[in-house]
Amino acid sequence: MRHRHHTHCPGHHAPRRDEHGRGGHGRHGDFGGRGELMRGRRFSSEDLQLMLLGLLAGGDSHGYELIKALETRSEGAYVPSPGVIYPALTYVHELGLVEADVVGNKKSYRLSEEGRRFVQARQQRLDEMFQDLALLARKMKYLRGAMAEDGENPGGAWLPEFVEARRRLKRALLQKSDAPQEEQRRVAAILLRAAAEIEGTAAGAEGGPAPRG
Protein backbone atom coordinates (compact mmCIF):
# COMPACT_ATOMS: atom_id res chain seq x y z
CA MET A 1 0.00 0.00 0.00
CA ARG A 2 1.34 3.42 -0.92
CA HIS A 3 0.73 6.39 1.28
CA ARG A 4 1.74 9.95 0.55
CA HIS A 5 1.07 12.84 2.81
CA HIS A 6 1.75 16.47 2.06
CA THR A 7 1.19 19.06 4.74
CA HIS A 8 2.89 22.36 4.03
CA CYS A 9 4.13 24.72 6.67
CA PRO A 10 3.79 28.39 5.62
CA GLY A 11 7.20 29.77 4.74
CA HIS A 12 8.78 26.36 5.34
CA HIS A 13 11.02 27.41 8.15
CA ALA A 14 13.60 24.79 9.09
CA PRO A 15 11.79 21.94 10.89
CA ARG A 16 12.16 21.80 14.65
CA ARG A 17 11.04 19.33 17.25
CA ASP A 18 12.25 18.30 20.65
CA GLU A 19 13.65 14.88 21.55
CA HIS A 20 10.14 13.50 21.86
CA GLY A 21 9.12 14.70 18.42
CA ARG A 22 7.18 17.71 19.68
CA GLY A 23 7.56 21.21 18.28
CA GLY A 24 10.20 23.40 19.86
CA HIS A 25 13.95 23.80 20.07
CA GLY A 26 14.90 20.68 21.99
CA ARG A 27 18.29 19.04 21.62
CA HIS A 28 19.20 15.39 21.66
CA GLY A 29 21.72 12.85 20.42
CA ASP A 30 24.86 13.50 22.44
CA PHE A 31 28.07 13.39 20.47
CA GLY A 32 29.79 10.33 21.75
CA GLY A 33 29.58 6.56 21.91
CA ARG A 34 25.83 6.26 22.32
CA GLY A 35 25.80 9.43 24.38
CA GLU A 36 28.81 8.78 26.62
CA LEU A 37 31.89 10.17 24.86
CA MET A 38 32.42 13.88 24.24
CA ARG A 39 29.35 14.71 26.29
CA GLY A 40 28.11 18.24 25.81
CA ARG A 41 28.39 18.50 22.00
CA ARG A 42 25.03 17.73 20.50
CA PHE A 43 22.97 17.97 17.33
CA SER A 44 19.81 19.99 17.53
CA SER A 45 16.55 18.43 16.39
CA GLU A 46 16.68 20.72 13.39
CA ASP A 47 20.19 19.50 12.52
CA LEU A 48 19.15 15.86 12.75
CA GLN A 49 16.15 16.47 10.51
CA LEU A 50 18.36 18.14 7.91
CA MET A 51 20.85 15.26 8.05
CA LEU A 52 18.04 12.78 7.48
CA LEU A 53 16.89 14.77 4.47
CA GLY A 54 20.48 14.86 3.22
CA LEU A 55 20.76 11.09 3.51
CA LEU A 56 17.48 10.66 1.68
CA ALA A 57 18.86 12.80 -1.14
CA GLY A 58 21.06 9.78 -1.88
CA GLY A 59 18.13 7.41 -2.23
CA ASP A 60 15.07 5.92 -0.55
CA SER A 61 15.61 4.48 2.92
CA HIS A 62 13.85 2.90 5.88
CA GLY A 63 14.26 4.47 9.30
CA TYR A 64 16.60 1.69 10.45
CA GLU A 65 18.79 2.21 7.39
CA LEU A 66 19.07 5.90 8.23
CA ILE A 67 20.15 5.07 11.78
CA LYS A 68 22.81 2.72 10.43
CA ALA A 69 23.99 5.36 7.95
CA LEU A 70 24.58 7.86 10.76
CA GLU A 71 26.28 5.17 12.83
CA THR A 72 28.57 4.26 9.93
CA ARG A 73 29.47 7.86 9.09
CA SER A 74 30.46 8.49 12.72
CA GLU A 75 32.10 5.08 13.38
CA GLY A 76 29.44 4.42 16.01
CA ALA A 77 30.00 7.69 17.87
CA TYR A 78 26.57 9.09 16.99
CA VAL A 79 23.70 6.61 17.00
CA PRO A 80 20.32 8.28 17.49
CA SER A 81 17.69 5.92 18.82
CA PRO A 82 14.54 4.89 16.93
CA GLY A 83 12.63 7.00 19.47
CA VAL A 84 14.41 10.03 18.06
CA ILE A 85 14.63 9.09 14.37
CA TYR A 86 11.01 8.13 13.73
CA PRO A 87 9.42 11.27 15.23
CA ALA A 88 11.87 13.34 13.15
CA LEU A 89 10.87 11.45 10.00
CA THR A 90 7.21 11.83 10.84
CA TYR A 91 7.69 15.56 11.25
CA VAL A 92 9.45 16.16 7.93
CA HIS A 93 6.84 13.91 6.33
CA GLU A 94 4.08 16.09 7.74
CA LEU A 95 5.83 19.14 6.31
CA GLY A 96 5.78 17.58 2.86
CA LEU A 97 9.57 17.38 2.64
CA VAL A 98 9.50 13.60 2.29
CA GLU A 99 7.08 11.05 0.92
CA ALA A 100 6.56 7.57 2.30
CA ASP A 101 5.60 4.23 0.81
CA VAL A 102 4.08 1.82 3.32
CA VAL A 103 4.72 -1.87 2.71
CA GLY A 104 3.45 -4.11 5.49
CA ASN A 105 4.56 -2.50 8.73
CA LYS A 106 7.52 -0.63 7.21
CA LYS A 107 7.83 2.79 5.65
CA SER A 108 10.29 3.66 2.94
CA TYR A 109 11.03 7.39 2.86
CA ARG A 110 12.19 9.52 -0.06
CA LEU A 111 12.60 13.22 -0.68
CA SER A 112 9.76 15.09 -2.29
CA GLU A 113 10.53 17.79 -4.86
CA GLU A 114 10.00 20.35 -2.13
CA GLY A 115 12.37 18.40 0.08
CA ARG A 116 15.06 18.52 -2.60
CA ARG A 117 14.73 22.28 -2.84
CA PHE A 118 14.89 22.48 0.95
CA VAL A 119 18.13 20.48 1.06
CA GLN A 120 19.70 22.40 -1.82
CA ALA A 121 19.05 25.69 -0.04
CA ARG A 122 20.87 24.38 3.04
CA GLN A 123 23.62 22.36 1.37
CA GLN A 124 26.45 24.26 3.03
CA ARG A 125 25.10 23.59 6.52
CA LEU A 126 24.50 19.95 5.62
CA ASP A 127 28.07 19.56 4.35
CA GLU A 128 29.38 21.03 7.61
CA MET A 129 27.40 18.54 9.69
CA PHE A 130 28.59 15.58 7.63
CA GLN A 131 32.15 16.88 8.03
CA ASP A 132 31.54 16.92 11.79
CA LEU A 133 30.48 13.27 11.59
CA ALA A 134 33.64 12.41 9.63
CA LEU A 135 35.76 14.16 12.27
CA LEU A 136 33.92 12.28 14.98
CA ALA A 137 34.59 9.02 13.14
CA ARG A 138 38.33 9.73 13.08
CA LYS A 139 38.30 10.49 16.80
CA MET A 140 36.39 7.31 17.50
CA LYS A 141 38.93 5.25 15.54
CA TYR A 142 41.71 6.83 17.54
CA LEU A 143 39.98 6.14 20.85
CA ARG A 144 39.31 2.54 19.91
CA GLY A 145 42.94 2.06 18.99
CA ALA A 146 44.10 3.69 22.22
CA MET A 147 41.86 1.52 24.40
CA ALA A 148 42.10 -1.74 22.46
CA GLU A 149 42.75 -4.88 24.49
CA ASP A 150 44.36 -6.82 21.63
CA GLY A 151 47.25 -5.58 19.57
CA GLU A 152 47.53 -2.49 21.74
CA ASN A 153 51.33 -2.51 21.72
CA PRO A 154 52.26 -2.44 18.02
CA GLY A 155 55.85 -3.45 17.47
CA GLY A 156 56.45 -3.71 21.22
CA ALA A 157 57.03 0.05 21.36
CA TRP A 158 55.45 0.46 24.81
CA LEU A 159 56.80 -0.82 28.10
CA PRO A 160 54.79 -3.64 29.74
CA GLU A 161 54.00 -1.41 32.73
CA PHE A 162 52.64 1.26 30.39
CA VAL A 163 50.30 -1.25 28.74
CA GLU A 164 49.21 -2.63 32.13
CA ALA A 165 48.49 0.87 33.41
CA ARG A 166 46.19 1.53 30.45
CA ARG A 167 44.40 -1.76 30.97
CA ARG A 168 43.82 -1.04 34.65
CA LEU A 169 42.56 2.45 33.89
CA LYS A 170 40.11 1.11 31.33
CA ARG A 171 38.88 -1.54 33.76
CA ALA A 172 38.48 1.00 36.56
CA LEU A 173 36.49 3.38 34.36
CA LEU A 174 34.19 0.59 33.18
CA GLN A 175 33.48 -0.28 36.82
CA LYS A 176 32.38 3.31 37.37
CA SER A 177 30.04 3.45 34.38
CA ASP A 178 26.94 3.57 36.62
CA ALA A 179 28.47 5.61 39.43
CA PRO A 180 26.42 8.39 41.08
CA GLN A 181 27.26 11.99 40.24
CA GLU A 182 29.44 12.63 43.28
CA GLU A 183 31.58 9.60 42.46
CA GLN A 184 31.81 10.68 38.84
CA ARG A 185 33.08 14.07 40.00
CA ARG A 186 35.68 12.42 42.23
CA VAL A 187 36.92 10.22 39.38
CA ALA A 188 36.94 13.15 36.96
CA ALA A 189 39.08 15.19 39.38
CA ILE A 190 41.58 12.32 39.63
CA LEU A 191 41.76 11.97 35.85
CA LEU A 192 42.21 15.71 35.35
CA ARG A 193 45.05 15.81 37.87
CA ALA A 194 46.70 12.81 36.19
CA ALA A 195 46.29 14.35 32.73
CA ALA A 196 47.78 17.63 33.90
CA GLU A 197 50.75 15.81 35.42
CA ILE A 198 51.29 13.74 32.26
CA GLU A 199 51.07 16.79 30.03
CA GLY A 200 53.44 18.69 32.28
CA THR A 201 55.98 15.88 32.18
CA ALA A 202 55.75 15.72 28.39
CA ALA A 203 56.23 19.47 28.08
CA GLY A 204 59.18 19.43 30.44
CA ALA A 205 60.89 16.68 28.48
CA GLU A 206 61.67 19.02 25.61
CA GLY A 207 63.63 21.52 27.64
CA GLY A 208 64.89 19.33 30.42
CA PRO A 209 63.28 17.67 33.45
CA ALA A 210 59.79 18.82 34.35
CA PRO A 211 59.65 20.96 37.48
CA ARG A 212 58.64 19.14 40.63
CA GLY A 213 56.01 20.67 42.82
Short mmCIF file of all heavy atoms in Angstrom, two decimals, residues 105-138:
data_model
loop_
_atom_site.label_atom_id
_atom_site.label_comp_id
_atom_site.label_asym_id
_atom_site.label_seq_id
_atom_site.Cartn_x
_atom_site.Cartn_y
_atom_site.Cartn_z
N ASN A 105 4.44 -3.38 7.57
CA ASN A 105 4.56 -2.50 8.73
C ASN A 105 5.80 -1.61 8.63
O ASN A 105 6.27 -1.07 9.62
CB ASN A 105 4.63 -3.32 10.02
CG ASN A 105 5.82 -4.26 10.05
OD1 ASN A 105 6.49 -4.43 9.04
ND2 ASN A 105 6.05 -4.89 11.19
N LYS A 106 6.33 -1.46 7.41
CA LYS A 106 7.52 -0.63 7.21
C LYS A 106 7.21 0.54 6.29
O LYS A 106 6.38 0.44 5.39
CB LYS A 106 8.66 -1.46 6.61
CG LYS A 106 9.30 -2.42 7.58
CD LYS A 106 10.54 -3.06 6.95
CE LYS A 106 11.25 -3.97 7.94
NZ LYS A 106 12.47 -4.56 7.33
N LYS A 107 7.93 1.63 6.52
CA LYS A 107 7.83 2.79 5.65
C LYS A 107 9.17 3.02 4.97
O LYS A 107 10.22 2.98 5.61
CB LYS A 107 7.46 4.04 6.45
CG LYS A 107 5.99 4.17 6.79
CD LYS A 107 5.71 5.52 7.44
CE LYS A 107 4.24 5.68 7.76
NZ LYS A 107 3.95 6.99 8.38
N SER A 108 9.10 3.27 3.69
CA SER A 108 10.29 3.66 2.94
C SER A 108 10.14 5.14 2.60
O SER A 108 9.15 5.54 1.99
CB SER A 108 10.43 2.83 1.66
OG SER A 108 11.57 3.25 0.93
N TYR A 109 11.12 5.94 3.02
CA TYR A 109 11.03 7.39 2.86
C TYR A 109 11.87 7.84 1.67
O TYR A 109 12.92 7.26 1.36
CB TYR A 109 11.53 8.09 4.12
CG TYR A 109 10.70 7.80 5.35
CD1 TYR A 109 11.00 6.72 6.17
CD2 TYR A 109 9.61 8.60 5.68
CE1 TYR A 109 10.23 6.45 7.29
CE2 TYR A 109 8.84 8.34 6.80
CZ TYR A 109 9.15 7.26 7.60
OH TYR A 109 8.39 6.99 8.71
N ARG A 110 11.42 8.89 1.02
CA ARG A 110 12.19 9.52 -0.06
C ARG A 110 11.88 11.01 -0.06
O ARG A 110 10.82 11.45 0.41
CB ARG A 110 11.86 8.91 -1.41
CG ARG A 110 10.43 9.13 -1.86
CD ARG A 110 10.19 8.51 -3.23
NE ARG A 110 8.79 8.66 -3.62
CZ ARG A 110 7.83 7.85 -3.24
NH1 ARG A 110 8.13 6.81 -2.45
NH2 ARG A 110 6.59 8.04 -3.60
N LEU A 111 12.80 11.77 -0.61
CA LEU A 111 12.60 13.22 -0.68
C LEU A 111 11.50 13.55 -1.68
O LEU A 111 11.42 12.97 -2.76
CB LEU A 111 13.88 13.92 -1.12
CG LEU A 111 14.98 14.18 -0.09
CD1 LEU A 111 16.06 15.05 -0.72
CD2 LEU A 111 14.43 14.84 1.15
N SER A 112 10.68 14.51 -1.33
CA SER A 112 9.76 15.09 -2.29
C SER A 112 10.51 16.17 -3.07
O SER A 112 11.65 16.52 -2.75
CB SER A 112 8.56 15.72 -1.57
OG SER A 112 9.00 16.82 -0.78
N GLU A 113 9.89 16.70 -4.10
CA GLU A 113 10.53 17.79 -4.86
C GLU A 113 10.77 18.98 -3.95
O GLU A 113 11.81 19.66 -4.03
CB GLU A 113 9.66 18.18 -6.05
CG GLU A 113 9.68 17.17 -7.17
CD GLU A 113 11.10 16.89 -7.65
OE1 GLU A 113 11.87 17.85 -7.86
OE2 GLU A 113 11.45 15.70 -7.80
N GLU A 114 9.82 19.25 -3.07
CA GLU A 114 10.00 20.35 -2.13
C GLU A 114 11.15 20.06 -1.17
O GLU A 114 11.91 20.95 -0.79
CB GLU A 114 8.71 20.60 -1.36
CG GLU A 114 8.72 21.89 -0.57
CD GLU A 114 7.33 22.32 -0.16
OE1 GLU A 114 6.37 21.60 -0.49
OE2 GLU A 114 7.22 23.38 0.48
N GLY A 115 11.28 18.78 -0.78
CA GLY A 115 12.37 18.40 0.08
C GLY A 115 13.72 18.59 -0.59
O GLY A 115 14.70 19.01 0.06
N ARG A 116 13.80 18.31 -1.88
CA ARG A 116 15.06 18.52 -2.60
C ARG A 116 15.44 20.00 -2.63
O ARG A 116 16.61 20.35 -2.47
CB ARG A 116 14.95 17.95 -4.02
CG ARG A 116 14.83 16.45 -4.04
CD ARG A 116 14.98 15.87 -5.44
NE ARG A 116 14.77 14.43 -5.39
CZ ARG A 116 15.67 13.56 -5.00
NH1 ARG A 116 16.87 13.98 -4.64
NH2 ARG A 116 15.40 12.28 -4.97
N ARG A 117 14.44 20.84 -2.85
CA ARG A 117 14.73 22.28 -2.84
C ARG A 117 15.17 22.72 -1.44
O ARG A 117 16.06 23.57 -1.30
CB ARG A 117 13.49 23.06 -3.30
CG ARG A 117 13.16 22.88 -4.77
CD ARG A 117 12.12 23.90 -5.22
NE ARG A 117 10.84 23.71 -4.57
CZ ARG A 117 9.87 22.92 -5.05
NH1 ARG A 117 10.05 22.25 -6.19
NH2 ARG A 117 8.73 22.80 -4.42
N PHE A 118 14.54 22.16 -0.44
CA PHE A 118 14.89 22.48 0.95
C PHE A 118 16.34 22.12 1.24
O PHE A 118 17.09 22.91 1.83
CB PHE A 118 13.94 21.72 1.88
CG PHE A 118 14.07 22.07 3.33
CD1 PHE A 118 13.27 23.05 3.90
CD2 PHE A 118 14.99 21.42 4.14
CE1 PHE A 118 13.38 23.37 5.25
CE2 PHE A 118 15.12 21.73 5.49
CZ PHE A 118 14.30 22.71 6.03
N VAL A 119 16.76 20.93 0.83
CA VAL A 119 18.13 20.48 1.06
C VAL A 119 19.11 21.33 0.27
O VAL A 119 20.16 21.75 0.79
CB VAL A 119 18.28 18.99 0.69
CG1 VAL A 119 19.74 18.58 0.69
CG2 VAL A 119 17.50 18.12 1.67
N GLN A 120 18.80 21.61 -0.98
CA GLN A 120 19.70 22.40 -1.82
C GLN A 120 19.95 23.79 -1.23
O GLN A 120 21.06 24.31 -1.29
CB GLN A 120 19.13 22.52 -3.23
CG GLN A 120 19.19 21.21 -4.01
CD GLN A 120 18.42 21.27 -5.32
OE1 GLN A 120 17.83 22.30 -5.67
NE2 GLN A 120 18.42 20.17 -6.05
N ALA A 121 18.92 24.36 -0.63
CA ALA A 121 19.05 25.69 -0.04
C ALA A 121 19.90 25.68 1.21
O ALA A 121 20.37 26.74 1.65
CB ALA A 121 17.66 26.26 0.28
N ARG A 122 20.11 24.51 1.80
CA ARG A 122 20.87 24.38 3.04
C ARG A 122 22.06 23.45 2.88
O ARG A 122 22.54 22.88 3.85
CB ARG A 122 19.94 23.88 4.17
CG ARG A 122 18.86 24.87 4.52
CD ARG A 122 17.65 24.22 5.15
NE ARG A 122 16.63 25.21 5.48
CZ ARG A 122 15.77 25.69 4.57
NH1 ARG A 122 15.80 25.26 3.31
NH2 ARG A 122 14.88 26.60 4.92
N GLN A 123 22.56 23.32 1.65
CA GLN A 123 23.62 22.36 1.37
C GLN A 123 24.89 22.66 2.15
O GLN A 123 25.57 21.74 2.61
CB GLN A 123 23.92 22.35 -0.13
CG GLN A 123 24.83 21.21 -0.56
CD GLN A 123 24.19 19.85 -0.33
OE1 GLN A 123 23.07 19.60 -0.77
NE2 GLN A 123 24.90 18.96 0.36
N GLN A 124 25.23 23.92 2.31
CA GLN A 124 26.45 24.26 3.03
C GLN A 124 26.39 23.78 4.47
O GLN A 124 27.34 23.19 4.99
CB GLN A 124 26.72 25.76 2.99
CG GLN A 124 28.01 26.16 3.70
CD GLN A 124 28.31 27.64 3.57
OE1 GLN A 124 27.67 28.36 2.83
NE2 GLN A 124 29.30 28.11 4.33
N ARG A 125 25.26 24.04 5.14
CA ARG A 125 25.10 23.59 6.52
C ARG A 125 25.13 22.07 6.60
O ARG A 125 25.75 21.49 7.50
CB ARG A 125 23.78 24.13 7.08
CG ARG A 125 23.42 23.59 8.46
CD ARG A 125 24.48 23.91 9.48
NE ARG A 125 24.18 23.34 10.79
CZ ARG A 125 25.10 23.01 11.68
NH1 ARG A 125 26.38 23.21 11.43
NH2 ARG A 125 24.74 22.49 12.83
N LEU A 126 24.52 21.41 5.64
CA LEU A 126 24.50 19.95 5.62
C LEU A 126 25.91 19.41 5.46
O LEU A 126 26.31 18.46 6.15
CB LEU A 126 23.61 19.46 4.48
CG LEU A 126 23.45 17.96 4.32
CD1 LEU A 126 22.83 17.34 5.57
CD2 LEU A 126 22.60 17.63 3.10
N ASP A 127 26.70 19.99 4.55
CA ASP A 127 28.07 19.56 4.35
C ASP A 127 28.88 19.71 5.64
O ASP A 127 29.70 18.85 5.98
CB ASP A 127 28.73 20.36 3.24
CG ASP A 127 28.16 20.02 1.86
OD1 ASP A 127 27.51 18.97 1.73
OD2 ASP A 127 28.36 20.82 0.93
N GLU A 128 28.66 20.80 6.36
CA GLU A 128 29.38 21.03 7.61
C GLU A 128 29.06 19.95 8.63
O GLU A 128 29.94 19.45 9.35
CB GLU A 128 29.03 22.41 8.18
CG GLU A 128 29.58 23.57 7.37
CD GLU A 128 29.05 24.91 7.84
OE1 GLU A 128 28.15 24.90 8.73
OE2 GLU A 128 29.52 25.94 7.33
N MET A 129 27.79 19.56 8.72
CA MET A 129 27.40 18.54 9.69
C MET A 129 27.98 17.18 9.32
O MET A 129 28.44 16.43 10.20
CB MET A 129 25.88 18.47 9.80
CG MET A 129 25.29 19.64 10.57
SD MET A 129 23.54 19.43 10.92
CE MET A 129 22.85 19.58 9.28
N PHE A 130 27.99 16.85 8.04
CA PHE A 130 28.59 15.58 7.63
C PHE A 130 30.10 15.60 7.85
O PHE A 130 30.71 14.56 8.14
CB PHE A 130 28.24 15.28 6.18
CG PHE A 130 26.83 14.77 5.98
CD1 PHE A 130 26.16 14.95 4.79
CD2 PHE A 130 26.17 14.11 7.01
CE1 PHE A 130 24.87 14.48 4.60
CE2 PHE A 130 24.88 13.63 6.84
CZ PHE A 130 24.22 13.81 5.64
N GLN A 131 30.73 16.76 7.71
CA GLN A 131 32.15 16.88 8.03
C GLN A 131 32.38 16.65 9.52
O GLN A 131 33.37 16.04 9.93
CB GLN A 131 32.67 18.25 7.61
CG GLN A 131 32.81 18.42 6.10
CD GLN A 131 33.09 19.84 5.69
OE1 GLN A 131 33.32 20.72 6.53
NE2 GLN A 131 33.06 20.11 4.39
N ASP A 132 31.45 17.16 10.35
CA ASP A 132 31.54 16.92 11.79
C ASP A 132 31.47 15.42 12.09
O ASP A 132 32.19 14.91 12.96
CB ASP A 132 30.42 17.65 12.53
CG ASP A 132 30.65 19.14 12.62
OD1 ASP A 132 31.81 19.57 12.40
OD2 ASP A 132 29.69 19.88 12.90
N LEU A 133 30.58 14.72 11.38
CA LEU A 133 30.48 13.27 11.59
C LEU A 133 31.77 12.57 11.18
O LEU A 133 32.21 11.62 11.84
CB LEU A 133 29.31 12.71 10.79
CG LEU A 133 27.90 12.94 11.33
CD1 LEU A 133 26.88 12.27 10.43
CD2 LEU A 133 27.75 12.43 12.76
N ALA A 134 32.38 13.02 10.08
CA ALA A 134 33.64 12.41 9.63
C ALA A 134 34.74 12.66 10.66
O ALA A 134 35.56 11.76 10.94
CB ALA A 134 34.04 12.99 8.27
N LEU A 135 34.78 13.86 11.23
CA LEU A 135 35.76 14.16 12.27
C LEU A 135 35.52 13.29 13.49
O LEU A 135 36.46 12.76 14.10
CB LEU A 135 35.68 15.64 12.66
CG LEU A 135 36.57 16.09 13.82
CD1 LEU A 135 38.05 15.86 13.48
CD2 LEU A 135 36.33 17.56 14.14
N LEU A 136 34.27 13.12 13.85
CA LEU A 136 33.92 12.28 14.98
C LEU A 136 34.34 10.83 14.73
O LEU A 136 34.81 10.14 15.65
CB LEU A 136 32.41 12.36 15.21
CG LEU A 136 31.89 12.01 16.59
CD1 LEU A 136 32.48 12.92 17.65
CD2 LEU A 136 30.38 12.10 16.62
N ALA A 137 34.19 10.38 13.48
CA ALA A 137 34.59 9.02 13.14
C ALA A 137 36.09 8.84 13.32
O ALA A 137 36.55 7.80 13.83
CB ALA A 137 34.19 8.70 11.70
N ARG A 138 36.88 9.84 12.92
CA ARG A 138 38.33 9.73 13.08
C ARG A 138 38.71 9.69 14.56
O ARG A 138 39.60 8.93 14.96
CB ARG A 138 39.02 10.92 12.39
CG ARG A 138 38.95 10.86 10.87
CD ARG A 138 39.94 11.81 10.23
NE ARG A 138 39.63 13.20 10.51
CZ ARG A 138 38.82 13.95 9.78
NH1 ARG A 138 38.21 13.43 8.72
NH2 ARG A 138 38.61 15.22 10.08
#
